Structure formats: structure tokens, C-alpha cells
Amino acid sequence: MKILVLGAGVVGTCSAWYLQAAGHEVTVVDRQPAAGMETSFANGGQISVSHAEPWANPHVLPRLLKWLGRRDAPLLWHWRADPQQWLWGLRFLRECLPGRVQANVAAILALALDSRRRLQILREELALDYDQLQRGILHVYTDRGELAAAMSAARLMARHGLEREMLDAAACVAIEPALAGAADILVGGDYTASDESGDAHRFTQALAERARQAGVIFQYGVEVERIASAGGQVAAVVVNGEGGPRLLTADAYVLALGSYSPLLLRPLGIGLPVYPAKGYSATLTLADDSHAPSVSITDDERKLVFSRLGNRLRVAGTAEFNGYDLSADPVRCQALIDRTRQLFPKLAVEGEPAFWCGLRPATPSNVPLIGRSRLSNLWLNTGHGTLGWTMACGSGAALADLVGGRRPVPEFPFLRG
């Protein structure tokens, strides 16, 4: 078929790769000048299957009360006169029920495990280089209550095929010596040796180039303005770029525009439970004598991750619910640096941090929306929240299977239209 993919982030690019590998004629459009320039640009850099526990869980409710009114809170909710935000928030509370959490963890793990395996195959076959490290992910804790909650999550994940090895503080430092300066505040951690890290932006651009060489057409600088429907299917997509507005047509369409996906479907009467969760990152250039981590670190208490990307350290995380606002709050930016200095007091950097914000497409459950929409030739691949980089390859491969009428391998609640 002739397929038009809307969005050249890591999810859209992976979708295009697997669709062309299945024999389809694929075109990708994106408003940016290159692939991976928005949410995929400066994220946390983790392939973190071990982060499968969704934000919506029973433990988050007391934390939300503790975080109220704090500009530097890991999860910051700005109340807006926005019915979509309120509806999303109510659904989020429903997903905190224990039974829902267990089902969501199982679904996320199934897709994430498959996705990590596919990423490893792609990396080998295509000789992709994106500052990748296969040194695992270490979760660290400075609060005993948080550590106890992690033990519960680890037991649940073990039942679904992922081992998170529980550690004391000394073992954490042994795995990552750069934590030695924070040994007195650590109370323990857990380690997933099979997880990885790498630069999602570099990966996306490298895969886009390989896809282009394989025949995928990328049209950049093209704004998707409207989806036109007729007779229960997409008739055309209205885009605007150099030369003005025009219509693009195909046999099938894939919507992979992250947080902006619901805005295109709302005029068609289709509601998606996706809301933008703004994440922050700081990229630090490391000095030659820097005591920087080489194992990717997750700080669950502050909802931050630390990933080594060559001579850079990426510090990223938190979630701010403030609509489509992309302005950076200096208080939240400084919180990234303060926690970095607390955990890595001997870190030596060159120059100033490069701060960045991106909008993660969050569903209340953290389970992405993959499959056919109510329009028969429109397919969705969106809603990956904080795990878009982790689940991108699996999502793209699963979507290609669904479009081709095949049943994807992972057990996952794919959309049925």
C-alpha cells in the first residue's frame, strides 16, 4: 500500500522503517527540518524496560499531596480551564487502582521487552551509532519509603519476565563509583543489567537516513493542518509548507504526532486520552577529569534520569501538566542541576548546561495507543508518555503487523478501531 506517516519523531520514524520493510510505499511528513527534533530531541536517553511501573499507581497519591504548591515538584499540575485536562486527570486517578496498575505494568512490559530486543537487532544489522551503552540501569533511593515501594514494583515485574536486582547502598556505589560522594544519603537501589541507554535524537536521525536509503520519502518543513474524512475513512491530509497548502493522499495513514495527535482528531469527533506532560532536561558537557556516571541512573524519588552520552551527561525527567506551553521554568531547570550536584558532587563540567523542554504524549495509564482508529484507513501510534524511546521499535513493528493484517507477537491491548 501507499502509506503516509504523520510525524518523524522516534515513533514515526520506526513506524516508517518497519512499514517499508513489510513492502509498503512510505512517505513521512514533519514540520521540523529533520527527524527527531521535538520530543525525541533531548530526552532522558534510557531504554528503560525497568521503568514499566506507570506514574498512575497507589503510591503516587500521597506524593501528589506532598508536592502541591512546589514549583520544583517532580509532578506539577497547573489547573487550567481545559475540560481535556480535567477528564485526563480523572482517568489518571482511576488508573491508580491496584488492579489497573497490574494490568498496565503487564502491557507496558510486554511491549518494552519486545522493543528492546528489536532495537538490538536493528543496531546490529544497520551498524547504528548513537552513543549507546549496554551497562544497565541503576535505580537509586534516598528515602526508605520509596525503596520499599520499589521492592513491590520489582516483584510485580519479575512475574512478567523482568528482573530488578535489589541492592544496598554499597552495592549501588560498586556498580557506579561516581555515586561514592553521595554514599551517605543512599539507602539502596535496584539494578537491571539488561537495560540500555543512548541518544534518541541521534538514533532517530540515523534510522531516518537508513529508511531514506531504503526508499522511504521524508518531507520536512511540512505542517499537518487537517485530516479530511469521508465515508468513514481518511480522504486526504491537508498540509502546508513551501509552496503553500496542498492535499496528500494515500491508501493508509499513520498518526504519530505525539501530544499533537488529539488536536487533529478532535474535529473529526474522535477523542484520544492523550495529554501533554512537559519534561525538562539539562545536557552537561563533561570535563576530561569528570567523575561522571557511565551506568544510566534513575532517581525515582525526584523522577529524574542520568544518562552518559559520549562526553555529555543528560539529566532529564519530571512532568509538568500545563497544556501545550513549552516555556522553561528556571526553578525546575535549577532543580535538575541541584540534584545532579547532590548525587555527583565531584562532577566536573565545561560551559553552561543546555536546558530543553519537550511534550510527552501521556495517556492516564502510560499504555500507548497503537492500532486502527474509528476511520478504517487511519492508524494510531501515539501516547507513549515517558517511554517513547523505550517502546519505539516494538511499536513500529507491531503497527506494521497490524496494517498488514498480521497479529503482533507481544500480548498487548492493541486498538481494534
Side-chain angles (χ1 to χ4, degrees):
M1 290 189 293
K2 182 180 179 182
I3 299 178
L4 180 63
V5 177
L6 310 180
V10 68
V11 171
T13 300
C14 285
S15 299
W17 173 264
Y18 286 103
L19 286 166
Q20 68 81 26
H24 301 294
E25 180 184 338
V26 182
T27 297
V28 183
V29 297
D30 195 281
R31 63 186 177 187
Q32 297 294 338
M37 297 300 292
E38 293 199 27
T39 305
S40 308
F41 182 70
N43 66 13
Q46 290 187 336
I47 302 297
S48 51
V49 180
S50 57
H51 203 62
E53 185 182 30
W55 282 66
N57 63 72
H59 309 297
V60 80
L61 298 177
R63 296 172 187 162
L64 289 175
L65 295 175
K66 182 176 67 173
W67 294 335
L68 281 176
R70 283 179 45 191
R71 281 176 63 187
D72 64 345
L75 193 156
L76 180 60
W77 186 273
H78 292 274
W79 295 103
R80 303 170 61 92
D82 180 357
Q84 301 303 319
Q85 185 196 50
W86 288 70
L87 181 59
W88 190 95
L90 290 173
R91 288 173 169 169
F92 179 89
L93 293 176
R94 175 179 176 267
E95 297 299 333
C96 291
L97 295 172
R100 297 295 308 157
V101 174
Q102 292 186 27
N104 294 336
V105 168
I108 293 167
L109 270 177
L111 184 59
L113 285 166
D114 178 71
S115 188
R116 188 178 64 194
R117 179 182 65 84
R118 292 182 183 277
L119 170 68
Q120 292 165 348
I121 292 171
L122 269 188
R123 182 173 65 232
E124 181 77 17
E125 290 182 348
L126 303 180
L128 299 177
D129 181 14
Y130 49 92
D131 288 327
Q132 66 267 24
L133 290 174
Q134 293 83 55
R135 298 183 181 178
I137 292 179
L138 175 65
H139 288 66
V140 297
Y141 301 90
T142 59
D143 179 273
R144 295 196 179 279
E146 295 282 347
L147 180 61
M151 291 179 180
S152 175
R155 287 192 292 268
L156 175 59
M157 292 181 194
R159 294 204 295 269
H160 296 284
L162 182 79
E163 292 298 329
R164 288 173 53 172
E165 179 187 2
M166 302 306 301
L167 307 170
D168 60 18
C172 291
V173 175
I175 289 174
E176 180 45 75
L179 287 166
D184 58 330
I185 63 172
L186 296 180
V187 297
D190 63 73
Y191 179 58
T192 306
S194 53
D195 274 344
E196 303 184 3
S197 60
D199 190 328
H201 173 65
R202 286 193 62 191
F203 169 85
T204 304
Q205 294 208 329
L207 185 62
E209 175 57 23
R210 292 305 187 100
R212 187 194 64 78
Q213 294 170 4
V216 176
I217 297 171
F218 287 85
Q219 297 185 17
Y220 296 117
V222 176
E223 182 88 28
V224 179
E225 293 194 338
R226 184 167 63 89
I227 295 174
S229 66
Q233 64 178 7
V234 175
V237 173
V238 181
V239 301
N240 199 349
E242 187 177 353
R246 56 193 169 102
L247 294 178
L248 296 179
T249 60
D251 301 313
Y253 304 80
V254 176
L255 184 58
L257 288 174
S259 298
Y260 297 91
S261 300
L263 303 184
L264 283 171
L265 294 187
R266 207 168 292 154
L268 303 176
I270 300 175
L272 294 186
V274 172
Y275 198 80
K278 181 166 61 178
Y280 285 71
S281 78
T283 303
L284 309 175
T285 300
L286 301 172
D288 291 339
D289 59 346
S290 184
H291 293 271
S294 58
V295 174
S296 190
I297 306 290
T298 295
D299 176 4
D300 272 339
E301 184 178 349
R302 303 294 177 90
K303 302 301 180 188
L304 295 177
V305 302
F306 305 82
S307 294
R308 181 73 168 266
L309 306 174
N311 70 332
R312 300 166 296 154
L313 180 67
R314 175 71 49 74
V315 186
T318 76
E320 181 181 348
F321 293 87
N322 195 19
Y324 289 85
D325 173 72
L326 268 170
S327 62
D329 184 337
V331 172
R332 297 181 71 75
C333 290
Q334 186 59 43
L336 302 182
I337 303 304
D338 291 346
R339 188 60 164 178
T340 302
R341 292 299 182 190
Q342 188 176 24
L343 291 178
F344 308 106
K346 295 184 179 180
L347 191 72
V349 301
E350 296 179 347
E352 295 298 317
F355 293 108
W356 173 87
C357 292
L359 300 179
R360 308 186 196 99
T363 63
S365 63
N366 275 36
V367 178
L369 307 174
I370 305 170
R372 194 194 300 267
S373 74
R374 291 213 318 261
L375 301 177
S376 61
N377 62 344
L378 176 63
W379 300 82
L380 306 180
N381 199 357
T382 187
H384 295 75
T386 59
L387 294 178
W389 175 209
T390 297
M391 296 193 284
C393 291
S395 297
L399 183 77
D401 282 343
L402 291 167
V403 170
R406 300 180 296 276
R407 181 180 178 85
V409 173
E411 289 296 325
F412 185 83
F414 296 106
L415 301 177
R416 300 180 181 275

